[in-house]
Amino acid sequence: MCAGIAVLAGIAVAVGLLQQGGPGPFPAGTVRGQTVEIAGRGLYRYDTVFTAAGNQATDLVTLGIGIPLLVAAAEGWWRGSARSGLVLLGTLGYFLYVYAGYALGAIAYNQLFLLYVVLFSTALYAFVLVFAAFLRQDPARLFPPDTPRRGPAVLMFTSTVVLVVVWGTPLMSAAVTGAAPEGLGPYSTEFTEALDLAVITPATAWAGVLILRRDPRGYLIAVSLLVLEILLAPLIIAQTVLQLRAGVTFTLPEIIGPMIGFVVLAVAAAAVLRVILRSVPAAAPRSERVPRAQADGPR
């Protein structure tokens, strides 16, 4: 499944980066009476200029970091490395996050829609299978009692607060005023905000609670989120650069603020992930490699 994700994602990002045909940007009216600038070029021709440039930046990060990390982590876990397996879990979380957005409405429909659906489905079930494999191995064996708790828990709770403030505040404002959220453009929903608030935010909070309770399952949840947080830094930087190149205008604080914020978050996430992984045994038996007769015991 990981090999399939790597190959299919490679095809998707290649088309997204290399397909450049089209007349170019043009203004379009939305059903809400707003005028937005549509990209008019390449695979993301029906997205706004802002979103199309962001999608290409996501493709760049997926190609340059996501796919190599997925392949390396999958190979390491196949060879029996529990640490590689945990990195694989987080990397699959990244692919699930990206292609859930592509398949469920974060971008305009294009000819790769069915490919996005397959990637979303494969990443989802691969993530579930890896997570379940670690649960079967008994997480207490992977995360001994002396695994640091304070740092990971604080970062998880901080992530919870940041997501609620960053996404919740403008959405609450839009709900009160009755206006469309800023940046909605021609789209029908704010998928990223919905995913972050409905899934990622509760996951960060629950991971922090479980870690403080010395429940090793909290570390499993945290690791799957930490890899995503690390990859968000190059993602935000690449998106900002390509959006500026595409002609999107930002104020200086709008450029520097998110970059610095996500870099700080990524550095903190990398430090916490390193601390957690150092507590994990370098190698651990793969439960699915145990012969059935041995696993079930004598009959």
Side-chain angles (χ1 to χ4, degrees), residues 18-94:
L18 297 177
Q19 189 177 103
Q20 298 297 328
F26 61 90
T30 73
V31 294
R32 299 178 183 273
Q34 299 171 317
T35 300
V36 296
E37 195 77 4
I38 303 299
R41 182 180 293 115
L43 177 66
Y44 307 114
R45 64 176 65 89
Y46 298 115
D47 284 293
T48 61
V49 172
F50 177 88
T51 300
N55 293 340
Q56 287 198 314
T58 302
D59 289 340
L60 277 174
V61 172
T62 299
L63 179 64
I65 302 177
I67 293 175
L69 186 60
L70 177 70
V71 172
E75 182 181 5
W77 194 48
W78 182 256
R79 295 179 182 276
S81 170
R83 295 173 182 173
S84 293
L86 292 171
V87 174
L88 175 63
L89 181 67
T91 308
L92 286 169
Y94 167 80

Side-chain angles (χ1 to χ4, degrees), residues 38 43-56 58-59 94-110 113 116-117 120 167 182-196 235 239 243:
I38 303 299
L43 177 66
Y44 307 114
R45 64 176 65 89
Y46 298 115
D47 284 293
T48 61
V49 172
F50 177 88
T51 300
N55 293 340
Q56 287 198 314
T58 302
D59 289 340
Y94 167 80
F95 279 89
L96 176 58
Y97 184 86
V98 169
Y99 288 107
Y102 280 24
L104 297 179
I107 67 174
Y109 175 88
N110 62 51
F113 174 73
Y116 298 149
V117 172
F120 169 40
W167 293 139
E182 184 178 357
L184 179 63
Y187 307 102
S188 59
T189 186
E190 293 281 23
F191 176 84
T192 301
E193 287 85 339
L195 178 61
D196 285 357
L235 195 61
Q239 287 179 341
Q243 285 162 351

Side-chain angles (χ1 to χ4, degrees), residues 81-285:
S81 170
R83 295 173 182 173
S84 293
L86 292 171
V87 174
L88 175 63
L89 181 67
T91 308
L92 286 169
Y94 167 80
F95 279 89
L96 176 58
Y97 184 86
V98 169
Y99 288 107
Y102 280 24
L104 297 179
I107 67 174
Y109 175 88
N110 62 51
Q111 63 263 42
L112 293 188
F113 174 73
L114 288 178
L115 183 58
Y116 298 149
V117 172
V118 172
L119 279 164
F120 169 40
S121 176
T122 309
L124 172 63
Y125 287 105
F127 180 89
V128 171
L129 288 172
V130 173
F131 197 94
F134 277 113
L135 288 180
R136 289 198 303 270
Q137 292 178 17
D138 183 9
R141 294 170 53 208
L142 292 173
F143 308 105
D146 61 347
T147 303
R149 292 185 300 133
R150 182 174 301 177
V154 167
L155 181 58
M156 289 294 100
F157 290 134
T158 301
S159 300
T160 302
V161 173
V162 169
L163 287 171
V164 170
V165 172
V166 170
W167 293 139
T169 301
L171 290 178
M172 285 296 296
S173 176
V176 170
T177 62
E182 184 178 357
L184 179 63
Y187 307 102
S188 59
T189 186
E190 293 281 23
F191 176 84
T192 301
E193 287 85 339
L195 178 61
D196 285 357
L197 290 173
V199 179
I200 306 298
T201 300
T204 57
W206 188 232
V209 170
L210 290 177
I211 289 172
L212 289 181
R213 289 181 177 179
R214 299 183 184 275
D215 188 328
R217 292 175 298 180
Y219 292 105
L220 275 180
I221 300 173
V223 166
S224 67
L225 298 169
L226 289 171
V227 175
L228 176 60
E229 290 186 350
I230 293 169
L231 292 177
L232 283 178
L235 195 61
I236 294 299
I237 293 172
Q239 287 179 341
T240 303
V241 171
L242 291 191
Q243 285 162 351
L244 287 170
R245 288 186 57 189
V248 179
T249 57
F250 297 104
T251 64
L252 189 60
E254 288 174 335
I255 297 173
I256 297 177
M259 285 188 179
I260 293 178
F262 278 99
V263 167
V264 170
L265 180 63
V267 170
V272 169
L273 180 62
R274 181 173 180 270
V275 167
I276 293 175
L277 293 180
R278 287 181 62 183
S279 302
V280 175

